Amino acid sequence: MSEPLPPPGETPPVEGSTAEAHCERPDGGIWEHPRVWLFLITAGCLLVAAFFLVRVISL
């Protein structure tokens, strides 16, 4: 007779595994450091604004 199938959503035990189940931290991807992105966006906005400000003043 064969082994019964595990219920859906459960992982069957693995032979020889000594590791305990643990929660892993989710991958943040590009949002790992939001302050860097905020700084880059703000710096870009300020550069574009400065460009137009210099153009207006030089007229």
Side-chain angles (χ1 to χ4, degrees), residues 35-48:
R35 289 186 179 142
V36 172
W37 292 109
L38 182 62
F39 171 76
L40 290 174
I41 291 169
T42 305
C45 291
L46 290 174
L47 284 173
V48 171

Side-chain angles (χ1 to χ4, degrees), residues 6-49:
E10 290 188 22
T11 306
V14 178
E15 291 182 20
S17 175
T18 59
E20 292 290 325
H22 62 282
C23 295
E24 291 188 14
R25 189 171 156 257
D27 181 24
I30 64 169
W31 304 113
E32 188 74 31
H33 302 287
R35 289 186 179 142
V36 172
W37 292 109
L38 182 62
F39 171 76
L40 290 174
I41 291 169
T42 305
C45 291
L46 290 174
L47 284 173
V48 171

Side-chain angles (χ1 to χ4, degrees), residues 2-8 10 12:
S2 64
E3 235 180 86
L5 294 174
E10 290 188 22

